[in-house]
Coordinates of all heavy atoms in Angstrom, one line a residue:
D67 N 15.5 -46.5 48.5 CA 15.3 -47.3 49.7 C 14.0 -48.1 49.4 O 13.1 -47.6 48.9 CB 15.0 -46.3 50.9 CG 16.2 -45.5 51.4 OD1 17.3 -46.1 51.2 OD2 16.0 -44.4 51.9
V68 N 14.1 -49.3 49.9 CA 12.9 -50.3 49.7 C 12.2 -50.5 51.0 O 12.9 -50.8 52.0 CB 13.4 -51.6 49.0 CG1 12.2 -52.5 48.8 CG2 14.2 -51.3 47.7
D69 N 10.9 -50.4 51.0 CA 10.1 -50.7 52.2 C 9.1 -51.8 51.9 O 8.8 -52.1 50.7 CB 9.4 -49.4 52.6 CG 8.9 -49.4 54.0 OD1 9.2 -50.4 54.7 OD2 8.4 -48.4 54.5
T70 N 8.6 -52.4 53.0 CA 7.7 -53.5 52.9 C 6.3 -53.0 52.5 O 5.9 -51.8 52.9 CB 7.6 -54.3 54.2 OG1 7.2 -53.4 55.2 CG2 9.0 -54.9 54.5
E71 N 5.5 -53.8 51.9 CA 4.1 -53.5 51.6 C 3.3 -53.4 52.8 O 3.4 -54.3 53.7 CB 3.5 -54.5 50.6 CG 2.2 -54.2 50.1 CD 1.7 -55.1 48.9 OE1 2.4 -56.1 48.6 OE2 0.7 -54.8 48.3
G72 N 2.6 -52.3 53.0 CA 1.8 -52.1 54.2 C 2.5 -52.0 55.5 O 2.0 -52.3 56.6
D73 N 3.8 -51.7 55.4 CA 4.7 -51.6 56.6 C 4.7 -52.9 57.4 O 4.9 -52.9 58.6 CB 4.3 -50.4 57.5 CG 4.6 -49.1 56.8 OD1 5.4 -49.0 55.9 OD2 4.0 -48.1 57.3
T74 N 4.6 -54.0 56.8 CA 4.7 -55.3 57.5 C 6.1 -55.5 57.9 O 7.0 -54.9 57.4 CB 4.2 -56.5 56.6 OG1 5.0 -56.5 55.4 CG2 2.8 -56.4 56.2
S75 N 6.3 -56.4 58.9 CA 7.6 -56.7 59.5 C 8.6 -57.3 58.5 O 9.8 -57.1 58.6 CB 7.5 -57.5 60.7 OG 7.0 -58.8 60.4
S76 N 8.1 -58.0 57.5 CA 8.9 -58.6 56.5 C 8.2 -58.7 55.2 O 7.0 -58.9 55.1 CB 9.4 -60.0 56.9 OG 10.2 -60.6 56.0
D77 N 8.9 -58.6 54.1 CA 8.3 -58.7 52.7 C 9.4 -59.2 51.8 O 10.6 -59.1 52.0 CB 7.8 -57.3 52.2 CG 6.7 -57.5 51.2 OD1 6.5 -58.6 50.7 OD2 6.1 -56.4 50.8
V78 N 8.9 -59.8 50.7 CA 9.8 -60.4 49.7 C 9.8 -59.6 48.4 O 8.7 -59.2 47.9 CB 9.4 -61.9 49.4 CG1 10.3 -62.5 48.3 CG2 9.6 -62.7 50.7
L79 N 11.0 -59.3 47.9 CA 11.1 -58.6 46.6 C 11.6 -59.7 45.5 O 12.6 -60.2 45.7 CB 12.1 -57.5 46.7 CG 12.4 -56.7 45.4 CD1 11.2 -56.1 44.8 CD2 13.5 -55.7 45.6
N80 N 10.7 -59.9 44.5 CA 11.0 -60.9 43.5 C 11.3 -60.2 42.1 O 12.1 -60.8 41.4 CB 9.8 -61.8 43.2 CG 9.5 -62.7 44.3 OD1 10.4 -63.3 44.9 ND2 8.2 -62.8 44.7
T81 N 10.7 -59.1 41.9 CA 10.8 -58.5 40.5 C 11.1 -57.0 40.6 O 10.5 -56.3 41.5 CB 9.5 -58.7 39.8 OG1 9.2 -60.1 39.7 CG2 9.5 -58.1 38.4
I82 N 12.0 -56.5 39.8 CA 12.2 -55.1 39.6 C 11.8 -54.7 38.2 O 12.4 -55.2 37.2 CB 13.7 -54.8 39.9 CG1 14.2 -55.2 41.3 CG2 14.0 -53.3 39.6 CD1 15.6 -55.1 41.5

Side-chain angles (χ1 to χ4, degrees):
D67 288 333
V68 181
D69 201 357
T70 61
E71 188 168 7
D73 292 341
T74 57
S75 62
S76 181
D77 203 352
V78 174
L79 177 61
N80 291 315
T81 302
I82 301 173

